[in-house]
């Protein structure tokens, strides 16, 4: 063999501990300064497509930064390249979609997770990563008033951190199908999933990934159930659909109830859905009820909002995202089940290279068996820091203030004769629009509201999003604006300024 060709001196330019310390301090200072000047930026990025890429070299660097001093260029590029292309989700005037909270304690937890560099796939690969997560999820279950059998201290339940609510729905669906199979359903059953027309698209995607749905247009295997005047799933229509499928020889096995839909924050009747599964025999055959409370679940830390989960005792799993409205930065989904055995049956694979005495003893949890990927970060640290820093009182104050602000905004909309509220307010989420002008066609009203939204967002002072509410009670489908209050630093002056901008800009 010929001699290796090398054009380097064999030295890898790692940062020394002292260089890392100085750069780390500077980066934390930069982040703190960014937080302090958040309100000086346009909330929605103003750059054109391709503008960020145009500022970056087409080819990777041959030479590295050469140590600490070379990082000056990086900090300058953060200002010149990155920040102009950022939509500032942490701005107190970000009212689009749903919030994606970050907070100081959560960021510190993320930093610590990265610094420790744990890959917590097994208990044995870092006992602290597993046991801290188990305990913190039990704390969160207690804080949100979940039944005891969703906690790790119960005989069959427990919680785990998933990346997103979409992942949680997929895990629940895979577990549901396996449980129904083990109760006698043929492997080649014609499986059917049920959720409302207003449910998140992740339910359909999970069915596609599971092979249940044969594409995004498959309405035979993913039944989207009609909603009522409040945009909540109709239990009577669900029961009719299930009975039709049973009579046709299909296998109903999974229902997803939404607690806080993406469009309007609607809450499905969990108790009534559970009763349908009992009456139709789906529950007895192993069928699964999952609750997707991705956004609204954070409100459960306040006892006055726990009615959102009326009937939760009928559910097999539930998930919500602390990374939406509970001050914990993305990604962090709290997934709970009362049947962890079903997850293990569906997801456990044990190659020789992962076998170890602790796992074989059955005395530990290996969270790799509770999720789709093998590897996992030490995400519990940031949730732990948030719970310890804010405590239950601080978290409740955070939620209650935003709900109050939602009430304020709703009242301002109702007081202006040009506007109307288009759906029942859900916590701090308000769906509203300009009223139709006399004789206007529905598409004309939609166009006026679309133009209003774009004009307001173009100012850079706020960022709101929209949805289309389906036809109901004789009204056609409507394009509406969404005011989703929930950013970490949002206060009443920010909400009032947003309303005043809307009122001034409206024609």
């Amino acid at each position: 063999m010929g001699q290796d060709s090398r054009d380097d001196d064999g030295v890898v330019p790692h940062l020394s501990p002292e260089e890392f310390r100085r750069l780390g301090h500077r980066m934390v200072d930069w982040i703190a300064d960014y937080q302090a000047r958040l309100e000086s930026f346009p909330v929605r990025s103003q750059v054109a497509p391709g503008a960020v890429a145009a500022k970056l070299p087409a080819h990777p660097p041959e030479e590295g930064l050469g140590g600490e001093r070379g990082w000056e260029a990086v900090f300058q590029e953060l200002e010149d390249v990155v920040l102009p292309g950022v939509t500032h989700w942490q701005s107190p005037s970000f009212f689009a979609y749903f919030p994606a909270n970050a907070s100081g304690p959560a960021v510190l937890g993320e930093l610590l997770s990265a610094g420790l560099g744990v890959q917590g796939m097994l208990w044995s690969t870092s006992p602290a990563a597993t046991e801290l997560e188990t305990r913190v999820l039990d704390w969160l279950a207690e804080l949100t008033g979940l039944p005891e059998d969703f906690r790790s201290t119960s005989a069959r339940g427990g919680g785990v951190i998933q990346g997103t609510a979409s992942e949680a729905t997929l895990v629940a669906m895979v577990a549901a199908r396996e449980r129904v199979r083990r109760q006698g359903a043929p492997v080649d059953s014609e499986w059917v999933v049920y959720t409302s027309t207003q449910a998140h698209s992740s339910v359909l995607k999970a069915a596609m990934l599971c092979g249940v749905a044969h594409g995004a247009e498959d309405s035979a295997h993913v039944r989207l159930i009609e909603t009522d005047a409040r945009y909540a799933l109709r239990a009577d229509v669900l029961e009719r659909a299930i009975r039709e499928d049973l009579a046709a020889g299909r296998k109903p096995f999974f229902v997803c109830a939404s607690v806080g839909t993406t469009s309007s924050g609607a809450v499905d009747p969990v108790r009534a859905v559970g009763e349908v599964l009992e009456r139709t025999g789906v529950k007895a055959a192993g069928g699964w009820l999952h609750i997707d409370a991705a956004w609204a679940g954070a409100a459960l830390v306040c006892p006055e909002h726990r009615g959102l989960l009326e009937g939760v005792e009928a559910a097999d799993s539930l998930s919500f995202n602390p990374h939406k409205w509970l001050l914990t930065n993305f990604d962090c989904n709290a997934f709970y089940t009362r049947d962890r055995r079903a997850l293990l049956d569906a997801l456990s694979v044990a190659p020789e290279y992962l076998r170890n005495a602790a796992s074989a003893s059955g005395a530990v949890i290996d969270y790799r068996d509770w999720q789709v990927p093998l590897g996992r970060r030490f995400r519990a640290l940031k949730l732990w820091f948030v719970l310890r820093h804010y405590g239950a009182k601080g978290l409740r104050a955070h939620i209650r203030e935003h709900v109050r602000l939602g009430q304020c905004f709703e009242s301002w909309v109702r007081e202006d004769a040009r506007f109307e509220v288009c759906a029942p307010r859900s916590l701090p989420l308000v769906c509203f629009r300009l009223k139709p002008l006399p004789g206007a066609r529905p598409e004309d009203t939609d166009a006026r509201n679309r133009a209003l939204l774009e004009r307001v967002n173009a100012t850079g002072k706020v960022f709101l999003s929209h949805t289309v509410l389906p036809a109901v009670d004789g009204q056609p489908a409507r394009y509406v604006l969404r005011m989703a209050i929930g950013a970490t630093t949002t206060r009443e002056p920010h909400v009032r300024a947003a309303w005043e901008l809307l009122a001034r800009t409206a024609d």
Side-chain angles (χ1 to χ4, degrees):
M1 296 179 65
Q3 186 175 5
D4 289 342
S5 174
R6 299 186 60 174
D7 57 5
D8 60 69
D9 58 8
V11 177
V12 179
H14 297 304
L15 288 173
S16 70
E18 283 308 311
E19 287 176 322
F20 174 77
R21 187 189 312 278
R22 286 190 291 271
L23 283 171
H25 287 167
R26 184 170 178 183
M27 188 61 75
V28 169
D29 285 343
W30 189 92
I31 294 170
D33 289 342
Y34 166 72
Q35 293 173 340
R37 57 188 172 131
L38 256 175
E39 295 187 59
S40 70
F41 299 111
V43 184
R44 186 179 68 176
S45 174
Q46 307 288 296
V47 304
V52 176
K55 295 180 181 179
L56 298 170
H59 305 288
E62 183 65 25
E63 298 292 335
L65 293 170
E68 185 180 344
R69 284 180 295 180
W71 277 72
E72 290 294 334
V74 173
F75 282 97
Q76 190 59 52
E77 287 165 5
L78 289 177
E79 298 289 336
D80 298 341
V81 180
V82 175
L83 279 182
V86 169
T87 289
H88 300 280
W89 285 72
Q90 302 312 310
S91 168
S93 296
F94 184 99
F95 303 113
Y97 311 113
F98 280 128
N101 282 174
S103 66
V107 173
L108 292 175
E110 193 76 78
L111 173 63
L112 180 58
S113 175
L116 291 175
V118 164
Q119 209 283 49
M121 58 187 176
L122 300 166
W123 177 90
S124 63
T125 61
S126 276
T130 296
E131 296 188 16
L132 180 63
E133 182 165 333
T134 303
R135 181 54 54 87
V136 166
L137 267 292
D138 282 346
W139 284 359
L140 192 58
E142 181 179 339
L143 286 173
T144 52
L146 295 184
E148 289 284 345
D149 49 1
F150 281 111
R151 305 181 195 180
S152 70
T153 50
S154 69
R156 300 179 60 203
V160 60
I161 296 177
Q162 307 282 355
T164 66
S166 298
E167 292 174 42
T169 299
L170 175 59
V171 166
M173 194 177 294
V174 170
R177 186 173 57 178
E178 183 62 22
R179 187 169 74 179
V180 174
R181 280 177 177 169
R182 287 176 179 261
Q183 293 197 23
V187 173
D188 61 352
S189 292
E190 195 173 351
W191 305 96
V192 189
V193 166
Y194 305 83
T195 195
S196 92
T197 60
Q198 298 299 290
H200 194 272
S201 59
S202 59
V203 181
L204 173 58
K205 181 175 281 191
M208 292 166 62
L209 290 170
C210 286
V212 169
H214 307 316
E217 305 302 322
D218 186 351
S219 58
H221 300 97
V222 178
R223 301 287 298 268
L224 299 181
I225 304 301
E226 179 184 340
T227 58
D228 61 19
R230 300 175 67 87
Y231 306 106
L233 180 148
R234 284 182 52 185
D236 61 323
V237 179
L238 171 67
E239 182 164 358
R240 185 163 63 246
I242 288 175
R243 293 192 183 279
E244 288 172 358
D245 288 327
L246 289 170
R250 291 185 282 270
K251 193 66 182 176
F253 79 105
F254 185 86
V255 178
C256 180
S258 302
V259 172
T261 59
T262 302
S263 282
S264 66
V267 176
D268 291 342
V270 174
R271 183 180 302 283
V273 170
E275 290 169 352
V276 167
L277 298 186
E278 289 282 356
R279 283 196 300 271
T280 57
V282 171
K283 189 70 174 177
W288 193 286
L289 173 56
H290 175 66
I291 298 174
D292 178 4
W295 161 68
L300 300 173
V301 300
C302 300
E304 65 267 28
H305 298 307
R306 290 181 188 161
L308 293 169
L309 279 188
E310 183 184 354
V312 66
E313 60 274 6
D316 298 280
S317 59
L318 171 145
S319 77
F320 78 94
N321 293 332
H323 69 232
K324 276 192 166 66
W325 194 22
L326 209 61
L327 298 165
T328 307
N329 56 293
F330 189 87
D331 56 346
C332 183
N333 169 270
F335 173 82
Y336 293 93
T337 181
R338 62 172 79 248
D339 188 1
R340 61 178 180 255
R341 183 72 253 170
L343 268 64
L344 302 182
D345 289 343
L347 298 167
S348 182
V349 179
E352 182 58 38
Y353 50 80
L354 294 179
R355 296 179 185 274
N356 62 86
S359 297
S361 74
V364 301
I365 292 174
D366 288 332
Y367 277 130
R368 69 183 179 106
D369 296 329
W370 294 50
Q371 61 177 27
V372 174
L374 172 63
R376 59 199 331 271
R377 295 181 293 113
F378 200 166
R379 286 179 294 215
L381 285 170
K382 58 189 175 185
L383 185 56
W384 185 44
F385 281 13
V386 166
L387 295 179
R388 293 201 65 192
H389 175 81
Y390 290 97
K393 289 183 178 179
L395 296 177
R396 290 175 191 137
H398 169 72
I399 298 295
R400 285 169 175 157
E401 175 61 7
H402 286 161
V403 172
R404 186 188 73 81
L405 294 178
Q407 293 169 337
C408 290
F409 186 84
E410 179 187 32
S411 70
W412 300 331
V413 172
R414 293 190 183 280
E415 290 166 3
D416 190 318
R418 297 171 298 170
F419 288 88
E420 63 182 352
V421 174
C422 301
R425 177 182 52 80
S426 181
L427 301 165
L429 172 63
V430 181
C431 292
F432 67 103
R433 68 168 183 167
L434 288 166
K435 290 179 180 177
L437 296 173
R441 298 173 302 171
E443 55 266 35
D444 296 332
T445 303
D446 288 350
R448 287 178 63 225
N449 281 283
R450 191 177 295 108
L452 172 61
L453 179 64
E454 188 49 47
R455 288 198 302 270
V456 166
N457 285 342
T459 68
K461 295 178 180 179
V462 300
F463 184 28
L464 282 74
S465 58
H466 79 280
T467 192
V468 174
L469 296 177
V472 64
D473 284 354
Q475 291 196 73
R478 294 172 291 168
Y479 180 103
V480 303
L481 283 63
R482 295 171 71 262
M483 181 71 172
I485 300 166
T488 300
T489 56
T490 297
R491 299 293 179 264
E492 185 169 340
H494 303 109
V495 179
R496 184 175 291 277
W499 168 245
E500 291 173 352
L501 176 61
L502 283 158
R504 286 197 309 272
T505 308
D507 55 18

